[in-house]
């Protein structure tokens, strides 16, 4: 585990104390490796370290504002490489190391860092800055009574396929009660990489979030279905939600219907609400891929973003109130931060009640996981004010 | 009638000594309906009451009524939906009214203007609170007029059983939990009129429910709505009090502005701090004993010096 400590004023970084030693031989490096947890986080500095034969070692990351590849330096003539990077408080950063040996280049996780984050593309190493802690409500809690996830198949004429849905019912689900509904885009990824079930179980148990029924949807081709696709919007609004409202005790009013998504999923949520204004009461949008242009078509996102840009440009030109409330969040280290910041006043000027938060994180599932408490508790507040034990 | 309000019982239980101090004989009725599904898990409470407890099982009775009387259950659900809508509208308006109060506190406004502006802004919140309470009352009245609970077999049966159980008890304890469930059960089975000749010991939500107004609060709300909300009328067995269990944990008492706004909003009622170990005696429904800690209109938490 990475330990993050405040660095006493004037105290040298651990790596600099090592560099001042002569000689820095294999035994000295061994001791250095044994004595530290990597990356070494000291105050607002993180020291990344690689040990091994290499001709070049680069830190690869996705932090907007920094060069995407930053070279590590060798400690004297040893096989130890290092890089000291500014790491603001409460940051959480994913990275890889690129190691070059001759002409051969290899991207690898940091072998000295056991902390790994998983995502649909694979995995990355993770460093936590001072002040960042994995929220305890993202971890399984033996005192929490778990909800249940069951699989449904919803035949869709709109999408011309059978759509799989993982339906979450909260613990102590009772047909005699009425529950709000949350529809989640990229549901499988939210369950797998953002611990969505654990998060829901815990937040409901802790009274932070209302008991809620959640439909985790799975896209076909998300690059087609998510950027303002009429069929997708029709599937959710005319097929999925009506079926769920017919079969389960749901609120059946806009205030009890929320669409949620991250990245392209957030575009899908917003564009679906835009196609059916007033049907949904709220949106939870994480790191939305809200790419737009103010003039011309050069958005730099590639063909996949063409329909996104078309939709967002149109929405920005004539913004309208499509839901009552929208929770918007984005990581400050991701390229989409400027786009998301730009969308907030546009959404607000329609009269929607918008809550906007930022995290010192990137375009990652663990970032989206960490924002769920703020988002869900704002959209569907729990009954914490009703309990006085 | 004696009413004693206690602080939360989880970490510093005092109910045993409090009930013993009443020197009443015979069984002690208990209400644990706020625990909802855990209502029967009262072994520890029974032990504290020296094995004399008679749990009125109000929550289970309510569930039985709902199962047996589908028409009443449907009407209750409808009422619940209406109350939720009312709450949504109340909170929407409260958001803005509280924002005005907060903004006035933050702005550097010329002193004489600032004071009256703040008073007016708090008055606007008080008006909103009063109107909400009125509307909630109207919803309840319409519900009872329409459903006539006193003519429904299942309810009459349980009311009779509860009244009979209460008749044998000289004292009643009301535990905390979910304030909504607790209030609903106490009202449904008409418990309040039967308490007039009893000693009542209540804590947490149980204490809140005895007051004229039930005020919900949590300054550390994860949803950002950290302001207090008026929830409903209580049983009115403790006049002039707003009960604040877990005040130290749930309120920012170190912030004088927060405290003074809270106190002024609910004046002339005393906002009574009910933290662990606290005991507040209200011997004739109207008074708080000296030493009771309350929020003051100038932003402090102080002990009352005289009976009020």
């Amino acid at each position: 585990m990475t330990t993050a400590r405040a660095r006493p004023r004037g105290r040298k970084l651990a790596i600099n104390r090592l560099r001042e030693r002569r000689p820095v031989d294999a035994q000295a490096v061994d001791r250095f490796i044994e004595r530290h947890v990597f990356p070494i986080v000291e105050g607002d500095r993180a020291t990344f370290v690689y040990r091994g034969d290499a001709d070049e070692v680069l830190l690869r990351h996705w932090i907007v504002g920094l060069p995407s590849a930053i070279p590590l330096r060798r400690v004297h003539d040893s096989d130890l490489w290092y890089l000291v990077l500014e790491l603001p408080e409460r940051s959480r950063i994913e990275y890889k190391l690129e190691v070059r040996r001759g002409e051969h280049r290899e991207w690898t996780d940091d072998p000295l860092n056991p902390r790994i984050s998983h995502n649909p593309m694979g995995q990355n190493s993770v460093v936590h800055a001072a002040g960042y802690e994995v929220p305890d409500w993202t971890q399984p809690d033996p005192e929490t009574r778990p909800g249940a996830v069951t699989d449904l198949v919803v035949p869709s004429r709109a999408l011309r396929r059978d759509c799989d849905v993982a339906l979450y019912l909260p613990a102590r689900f009772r047909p005699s009660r009425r529950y709000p509904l949350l529809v989640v885009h990229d549901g499988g990824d939210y369950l797998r990489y953002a611990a969505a079930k654990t998060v829901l179980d815990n937040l409901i148990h802790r009274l932070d979030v209302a008991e809620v029924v959640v439909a985790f949807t799975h896209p076909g081709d998300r690059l087609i279905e998510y950027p303002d696709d009429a069929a997708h919007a029709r599937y959710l609004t005319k097929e999925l939600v009506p079926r769920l409202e017919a079969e389960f005790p749901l609120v059946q009013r806009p205030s009890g219907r929320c669409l949620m998504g991250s990245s392209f999923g957030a575009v899908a949520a917003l564009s679906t609400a835009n196609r059916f204004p007033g049907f949904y009461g709220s949106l939870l949008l994480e790191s939305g891929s809200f790419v737009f242009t103010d003039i011309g078509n050069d958005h730099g996102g590639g063909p996949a973003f063409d329909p996104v840009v078309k939709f967002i440009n149109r929405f920005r030109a004539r913004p309208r109130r499509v839901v009552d409330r929208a929770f918007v969040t984005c990581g400050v280290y991701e390229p989409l931060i400027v786009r998301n910041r730009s969308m907030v006043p546009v959404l607000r000027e329609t009269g929607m009640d918008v809550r906007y938060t930022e995290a010192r994180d990137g375009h990652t599932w663990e970032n989206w996981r960490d924002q769920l408490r703020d988002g869900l508790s704002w959209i569907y507040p729990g009954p914490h004010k009703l309990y006085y034990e | 009638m004696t009413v004693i309000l206690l602080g939360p019982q989880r970490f510093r239980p005092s109910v045993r000594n409090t009930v013993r101090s009443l020197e009443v004989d015979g069984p002690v009725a208990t209400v644990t309906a706020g625990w909802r599904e855990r209502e029967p898990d009262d072994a520890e409470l029974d032990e504290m009451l020296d094995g004399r407890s008679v749990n009125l099982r109000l929550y289970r009775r309510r569930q039985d009524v709902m199962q047996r009387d589908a028409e009443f259950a449907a009407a209750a659900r409808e009422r619940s939906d209406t109350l939720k809508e009312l709450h949504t509208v109340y909170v929407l308006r409260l958001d803005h009214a509280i924002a005005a109060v907060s903004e006035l506190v933050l702005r550097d406004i010329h002193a004489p203007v600032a004071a009256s502006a703040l008073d007016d802004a708090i008055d606007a919140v008080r008006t909103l609170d009063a109107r909400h309470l009125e509307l909630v009352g109207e919803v309840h009245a319409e519900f009872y007029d329409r459903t006539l609970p006193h003519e429904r077999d299942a309810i009459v049966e349980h009311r009779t059983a509860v009244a009979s159980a209460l008749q044998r008890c000289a004292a009643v304890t009301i535990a905390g939990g979910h304030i909504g469930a607790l209030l609903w059960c106490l009202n449904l089975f008409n418990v309040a009129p039967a308490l007039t000749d009893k000693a009542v010991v209540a804590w947490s939500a149980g204490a809140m429910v005895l007051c004229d107004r039930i005020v919900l609060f949590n300054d550390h709300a994860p949803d950002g709505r950290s302001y207090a909300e008026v929830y409903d009328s209580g049983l009115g067995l403790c006049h002039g009090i707003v009960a604040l269990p877990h005040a130290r944990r749930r309120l920012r008492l170190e912030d004088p502005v927060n405290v003074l706004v809270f106190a002024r909003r609910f004046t002339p009622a005393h906002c009574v701090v009910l933290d662990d170990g606290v005991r507040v005696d209200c011997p004739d429904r109207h008074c708080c004993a000296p030493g009771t800690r309350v929020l003051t209109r100038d932003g402090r938490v102080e002990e009352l010096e005289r009976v009020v």
Side-chain angles (χ1 to χ4, degrees), chain B residues 261-295:
Chain B
V261 168
F262 203 108
R264 289 186 195 182
R265 181 173 165 190
F266 298 109
T267 197
H270 284 293
C271 297
V272 175
V273 170
L274 289 173
D275 282 319
D276 293 348
V278 168
R279 168 175 170 158
V280 174
D281 288 56
C282 311
D284 67 356
R285 295 192 188 192
H286 283 276
C287 60
C288 277
T292 300
R293 285 166 62 78
V294 298
L295 310 190

Side-chain angles (χ1 to χ4, degrees), chain A residues 115-129:
Chain A
R115 199 188 291 276
I116 293 290
S117 159
H118 298 273
N119 61 61
M121 317 298 286
Q123 60 184 43
N124 293 315
S125 295
V126 186
V127 58
H128 295 173

Side-chain angles (χ1 to χ4, degrees), chain A residues 183-345:
Chain A
V183 177
V184 179
H185 289 86
D186 292 311
D189 291 339
Y190 263 105
L191 286 165
R192 201 169 304 119
Y193 304 118
K197 180 177 180 298
T198 302
V199 167
L200 283 164
D201 287 344
N202 286 337
L203 294 181
I204 290 170
H205 173 75
R206 294 171 191 209
L207 312 175
D208 290 343
V209 172
E211 292 180 341
V212 60
V213 170
V214 185
F216 291 97
T217 64
H218 305 284
D221 184 342
R222 67 195 293 279
L223 294 183
I224 291 172
E225 291 180 4
Y226 280 5
D228 190 31
D229 181 54
H232 174 72
R234 217 165 47 246
Y235 157 63
L236 292 185
T237 313
K238 298 290 184 188
E239 296 173 339
L240 175 64
V241 173
R243 170 164 166 188
L244 294 176
E245 289 186 347
E247 292 183 12
F248 295 90
L250 299 175
V251 171
Q252 300 192 20
R253 293 177 56 82
S255 61
R257 299 183 191 121
C258 176
L259 293 176
M260 168 173 147
S262 57
S263 195
F264 260 49
V267 176
L270 177 61
S271 59
T272 298
N274 185 55
R275 284 176 180 274
F276 293 93
F279 183 79
Y280 300 97
S282 48
L283 295 171
L284 203 166
L285 310 173
E286 298 194 298
S287 304
S289 303
F290 302 135
V291 177
F292 59 87
T293 59
D294 288 310
I295 186 167
N297 295 317
D298 186 11
H299 52 74
F305 276 84
D306 286 345
V308 174
V309 173
K310 202 171 155 190
F311 163 62
I312 298 293
N313 281 357
R314 208 171 54 239
F315 187 85
R316 288 174 63 83
R318 284 209 181 85
R320 60 176 177 161
R321 181 185 172 113
V322 294
V323 293
D324 294 328
R325 312 174 76 227
F327 181 89
V328 183
T329 183
C330 193
V332 296
Y333 298 142
E334 50 181 312
L336 288 164
I337 184 66
V338 177
R339 314 291 192 170
N340 276 267
R341 284 174 181 162
S342 302
M343 282 300 282
V344 172

Side-chain angles (χ1 to χ4, degrees), chain B residues 51-112:
Chain B
R52 295 192 290 159
S53 76
V54 176
N55 197 320
L56 298 179
R57 295 280 190 267
L58 302 184
Y59 190 77
R60 183 183 58 75
R61 293 179 192 279
R62 189 191 81 169
Q63 284 178 309
D64 182 58
V65 167
M66 294 302 182
Q67 275 169 6
R68 287 164 56 188
D69 191 335
E71 186 185 72
F72 185 78
R77 271 197 297 276
E78 207 176 297
R79 176 181 67 161
S80 169
D81 289 346
T82 308
L83 289 173
K84 276 181 193 159
E85 283 298 312
L86 267 186
H87 177 257
T88 303
V89 172
Y90 169 60
V91 164
L92 189 66
R93 299 178 68 192
L94 203 53
D95 259 337
H96 293 278
I98 292 287
V101 172
S102 308
E103 188 66 26
L104 286 168
V105 166
L106 291 172
R107 287 215 185 172
D108 183 14
I109 301 172
H110 185 47

